[in-house]
Amino acid sequence: MRIVTDDLTHPDVIALVEFHLGSAFENSPPGSVFALDLAGLKNPAVTLWTAWDDDALLGMGALKRLDADHGELKSMRTAPAHLRRGVAGAMLDHLIAEGRARGYRRLSLETGNNAAFAPARALYQRAGFVECGPFADYSDASFSQYYTLALDANAVHP
């Protein structure tokens, strides 16, 4: 598996972003989807990585800079044909390492609190993420579940 910075031009990547958005809308109540579309992923504050096995797209994950000390995980998705192969764990490890390399003191994320998002919540909890309140511009507390991970010993959870 190789993980590369992506420019969002490959048709398989575009299709995975669209699948990710469709799934988010299918499994979330109205007004509770915060997944980034292609334009959002092209924002200069966001970097997208994709995981590949030769020419097969395995998954994707993005990191958004919130400020000099804080990054947000976005668009974590494994391609349906490659579930249960360690893609999400490898991508999460990559994003955490990138957050450290950028000097962030913490990483945070938002996900859903229903059964459809249970595998994602379990992945983040296994990696050491702990529940927190809304951060950045988030305010939804009825459906969204928020997590954060301290990247250094001096970081304080919100």
Side-chain angles (χ1 to χ4, degrees), residues 79-102:
H82 302 286
L83 294 172
R84 311 291 178 260
R85 292 182 47 200
V87 175
M91 183 60 71
L92 183 57
D93 288 347
H94 179 81
L95 296 175
I96 292 169
E98 181 64 27
R100 284 192 173 105
R102 291 180 179 193

Side-chain angles (χ1 to χ4, degrees), residues 13-38:
V13 174
I14 293 168
L16 186 58
V17 170
E18 291 171 355
F19 173 78
H20 179 64
L21 281 169
S23 179
F25 280 102
E26 180 181 311
N27 291 294
S28 306
S32 295
V33 174
F34 303 105
L36 297 176
D37 59 12
L38 287 170

Side-chain angles (χ1 to χ4, degrees), residues 34-73:
F34 303 105
L36 297 176
D37 59 12
L38 287 170
L41 288 168
K42 291 179 181 179
N43 180 308
V46 177
T47 306
L48 178 76
W49 289 270
T50 49
W52 299 84
D53 182 5
D54 292 325
D55 292 334
L57 176 62
L58 305 177
M60 65 182 184
L63 189 56
K64 179 179 181 181
R65 182 185 190 275
L66 297 177
D67 63 41
D69 295 324
H70 192 190
E72 179 183 3
L73 301 187

Side-chain angles (χ1 to χ4, degrees), residues 85-151:
R85 292 182 47 200
V87 175
M91 183 60 71
L92 183 57
D93 288 347
H94 179 81
L95 296 175
I96 292 169
E98 181 64 27
R100 284 192 173 105
R102 291 180 179 193
Y104 295 156
R105 294 183 65 216
R106 69 182 171 117
L107 295 176
S108 299
L109 65 97
E110 177 276 336
T111 191
N113 66 12
N114 66 4
F117 296 92
R121 293 190 310 270
L123 172 72
Y124 300 131
Q125 290 167 354
R126 281 193 306 272
F129 283 80
V130 296
E131 292 184 38
C132 66
F135 60 93
D137 295 330
Y138 293 104
S139 61
D140 176 40
S142 61
F143 178 75
S144 292
Q145 180 65 57
Y146 304 95
Y147 290 90
T148 195
L149 175 70
L151 296 181

